[in-house]
Amino acid sequence: MEIVRRRRAIGETMNVSPLARKAKNQKLNDEQNTDRISNLPDAVLQHILTLLETKDAVKTSTLSKRWQYLWMSITDLVFMEDGPDKRKKRVQFMNFVERVLVLRDSSDLTLFVLSCDVLNDASRINAWISAAVMHKVQVLSIGLSSDENSRCNSEEPIVLPHCLFTSESLTYFYLESFVLLKVPSSIRFSSLKTLKIRFAIFPDDCSMQRLFSGVPVLEDLTLDACCWWNVRSVCISAPMLKTLTIYETVDSLDQDDCQFLIFGISLKYFYYGGALRNEYFFYKTSSLMKAVIYLGGKDSIEKGKRQREVSYRVHKLLRGLSLVKELAITPYIIEGLSYAEELLAHLPVFCNLTCLKFIGEPMNFASGALGNIIQKLPCVNSLIFNVGIFLSPYCEEGEWKLDPVAPCFSTHLKSITIREFGGTKGELHVVNFLLESALILERLVISCSLDKFSGGVGRQKEVHDQLMLSRRSRTCAIEFS
């Protein structure tokens, strides 16, 4: 029946008189030539303009009278001074920003992004930021630098407008500053939930303390490669803080030696990446769910003879995170502890930890401190080696084992995941030991490295069959991929 109906429709179309067909084609052409976009409601058109770059949105004012003023109500403004010839276009950029802010109407802003060099225009830049705050901006991103080829070359601090630090509308604030930054004596971000600070240089302890004391509802804080040369101590005690991320410059030759006191009443997630140039002390972290410690900069630490200092700082950091439920660390954390062997007997017990993940590089099972760490994990049920495992060459031919075997191997450990597996004799020695020691293991997952593992599916089956014989837990499934 459907075919019949289609054929009838085609026949009726073909039987239309030439005059009727001409009228129909004319109607179709008129519809195609109609500017349907311009007939959309203002709110829809302004949303479309928001998806364009600000300079392109402004250009639409020349399309027709319908478009002449639409851009003046867009809620997102993005001004980026970039490109290889930005110095030549400096005046053009500055005038464009000023023109847009002057001509724009009084409606509120959702997003304001400004990235430029300060040079001698601090007062103009502050006026722009003030204008954004006056328009009740919710998301603010500011990137400032004093020179495109250097950092920290300005002795005079940048003083951002006071109204910024008392904004009631701001919920997200990203600040990237290659210059010395001074904050006002009074700070109150009543609505700020996310604060990300990158490359900032603070002149003293008081500036930092005022900043972290004026964020009562802050939930997410990121400190990325900031300079702490002038700061001796920082106290972070935002009562609503859930996520804290700290990146340090790994290859910096300058010593920071700043002490961070972190009160994690509501803290759920902590990430650290760097070479522990500063000390971290945690208090009241019973709510902490997950922590990631990415200790790097091995070459700079060893060349700078900071091994024992790093070992003590690792120990303090681990003690502060001992209540965490999921922990990811680089193997260098284990090696770092071995720099001060007297600390191994005093490692904290991770009584809540259920998952331990090794990231960043392969885990050397010959590391003496590894056994000490695993002994302190009474409830861990999952071990993940994200970048593989290995044994130092001098251990591969000889006998090796974690002695004594940690209690969790017989009471809680149910899952082991090993990625980047190469199938070497040392790796197989470790895996056989794990299978022999884990009495209630339910699942072993091995992901083979395409670069290291040779022999294809046939070799995988051979290794699989060999490992099946080593299981103490007869219900353990061994999966290869």
Side-chain angles (χ1 to χ4, degrees):
M1 293 297 294
E2 179 64 23
I3 295 175
V4 172
R5 282 196 295 269
R6 289 183 180 180
R7 285 180 176 175
R8 285 178 179 173
I10 293 172
E12 290 171 358
T13 302
M14 295 183 68
N15 291 328
V16 174
S17 66
L19 186 61
R21 190 181 298 118
K22 181 178 180 180
K24 185 174 182 180
N25 290 338
Q26 181 64 43
K27 181 179 180 182
L28 289 173
N29 290 334
D30 291 343
E31 289 179 354
Q32 290 173 355
N33 292 329
T34 300
D35 184 359
R36 295 184 180 181
I37 294 180
S38 293
N39 290 331
L40 293 172
D42 285 2
V44 175
L45 295 178
Q46 286 160 358
H47 176 71
I48 294 173
L49 292 179
T50 299
L51 302 177
L52 301 176
E53 291 188 22
T54 301
K55 61 181 180 181
D56 293 329
V58 173
K59 288 178 182 177
T60 62
S61 62
T62 62
L63 293 177
S64 66
K65 290 184 178 180
R66 175 77 174 87
W67 290 86
Q68 187 173 0
Y69 302 107
L70 283 173
W71 72 268
M72 295 183 182
S73 299
I74 58 176
T75 58
D76 297 0
L77 294 178
V78 179
F79 303 107
M80 307 282 287
E81 183 186 29
D82 52 18
D85 56 347
K86 66 178 183 178
R87 281 288 176 269
K88 296 179 181 179
K89 297 181 178 179
R90 172 75 176 187
V91 174
Q92 180 182 345
F93 170 79
M94 300 293 286
N95 290 340
F96 174 72
V97 177
E98 215 137 84
R99 176 173 171 267
V100 169
L101 292 176
V102 168
L103 294 179
R104 189 184 180 277
D105 64 23
S106 60
S107 58
D108 292 346
L109 280 171
T110 300
L111 169 72
F112 184 83
V113 177
L114 174 64
S115 177
C116 65
D117 293 334
V118 177
L119 301 182
N120 297 317
D121 296 305
S123 59
R124 294 178 73 181
I125 291 171
N126 276 352
W128 302 342
I129 297 172
S130 297
V133 174
M134 289 175 59
H135 285 84
K136 298 181 180 180
V137 64
Q138 298 175 36
V139 179
L140 179 63
S141 176
I142 300 174
L144 304 176
S145 58
S146 56
D147 186 89
E148 59 186 0
N149 297 316
S150 63
R151 178 186 181 188
C152 309
N153 64 340
S154 175
E155 295 182 359
E156 291 297 323
I158 291 294
V159 182
L160 295 176
H162 184 270
C163 65
L164 167 62
F165 295 93
T166 56
S167 169
E168 296 180 354
S169 61
L170 202 60
T171 60
Y172 180 106
F173 182 25
Y174 174 84
L175 175 62
E176 182 177 298
S177 170
F178 286 89
V179 294
L180 196 63
L181 185 67
K182 186 176 180 181
V183 299
S185 57
S186 175
I187 297 176
R188 180 69 177 180
F189 287 109
S190 58
S191 302
L192 190 66
K193 292 188 175 182
T194 301
L195 175 61
K196 299 180 185 293
I197 304 176
R198 191 170 189 232
F199 298 143
I201 314 158
F202 292 91
D204 50 46
D205 292 32
C206 293
S207 294
M208 289 301 304
Q209 206 51 59
R210 288 198 298 270
L211 180 60
F212 293 136
S213 299
V215 284
V217 297
L218 188 69
E219 296 180 359
D220 183 3
L221 172 63
T222 298
L223 302 173
D224 185 1
C226 294
C227 289
W228 307 106
W229 305 332
N230 307 316
V231 182
R232 301 273 45 91
S233 64
V234 174
C235 180
I236 301 174
S237 60
M240 304 296 291
L241 188 65
K242 294 180 174 62
T243 301
L244 174 60
T245 303
I246 298 177
Y247 300 95
E248 289 180 4
T249 50
V250 172
D251 55 353
S252 175
L253 299 178
D254 298 293
Q255 189 69 31
D256 286 342
D257 278 329
C258 178
Q259 290 187 340
F260 284 79
L261 308 179
I262 301 164
F263 292 86
I265 299 173
S266 304
L267 196 64
K268 301 292 184 184
Y269 175 82
F270 172 71
Y271 178 96
Y272 169 83
L276 283 177
R277 296 192 171 278
N278 304 294
E279 289 188 286
Y280 298 90
F281 300 88
F282 280 82
Y283 302 93
K284 299 181 179 179
T285 56
S286 59
S287 62
L288 193 60
M289 299 294 294
K290 182 177 180 179
V292 179
I293 310 174
Y294 203 104
L295 180 62
K298 180 177 179 179
D299 292 339
S300 64
I301 290 173
E302 294 182 349
K303 288 178 182 178
K305 298 180 179 179
R306 297 182 55 235
Q307 291 95 326
R308 287 185 62 80
E309 175 187 78
V310 168
S311 186
Y312 273 78
R313 290 182 175 180
V314 167
H315 187 265
K316 292 174 184 175
L317 185 54
L318 290 177
R319 292 191 70 86
L321 300 174
S322 61
L323 297 178
V324 70
K325 296 174 177 60
E326 182 179 341
L327 178 64
I329 60 176
T330 55
Y332 194 40
I333 287 284
I334 306 296
E335 186 174 341
L337 286 171
S338 65
Y339 293 147
E341 293 186 358
E342 66 273 17
L343 297 177
L344 295 178
H346 305 285
L347 288 172
V349 175
F350 290 82
C351 56
N352 297 330
L353 191 69
T354 59
C355 178
L356 176 63
K357 180 185 293 187
F358 293 93
I359 59 176
E361 58 186 273
M363 181 65 231
N364 180 13
F365 267 74
S367 175
L370 179 60
N372 297 83
I373 282 283
I374 296 181
Q375 287 288 334
K376 302 296 183 178
L377 312 176
C379 299
V380 72
N381 58 45
S382 176
L383 288 176
I384 301 173
F385 303 92
N386 214 39
V387 197
I389 60 174
F390 75 102
L391 274 179
S392 296
Y394 62 85
C395 293
E396 290 193 7
E397 298 298 331
E399 290 297 321
W400 168 89
K401 60 181 178 180
L402 292 176
D403 190 18
V405 176
C408 65
F409 275 73
S410 58
T411 59
H412 286 80
L413 186 59
K414 294 183 179 181
S415 173
I416 299 175
T417 300
I418 301 172
R419 298 190 175 96
E420 298 295 322
F421 185 74
T424 65
K425 188 180 296 185
E427 289 172 287
L428 289 172
H429 187 66
V430 171
V431 176
N432 277 312
F433 167 81
L434 294 174
L435 287 170
E436 292 168 0
S437 304
L439 303 184
I440 61 171
L441 193 66
E442 297 177 354
R443 189 167 179 248
L444 170 64
V445 179
I446 297 178
S447 298
C448 297
S449 168
L450 296 177
D451 298 330
K452 301 174 184 177
F453 192 91
S454 59
V457 176
R459 170 66 173 155
Q460 285 186 16
K461 185 178 185 308
E462 179 186 334
V463 173
H464 176 274
D465 294 343
Q466 175 189 339
L467 295 178
M468 289 290 285
L469 298 175
S470 301
R471 297 175 305 162
R472 286 287 295 279
S473 172
R474 292 304 172 186
T475 58
C476 176
I478 300 177
E479 304 172 17
F480 270 82
S481 63

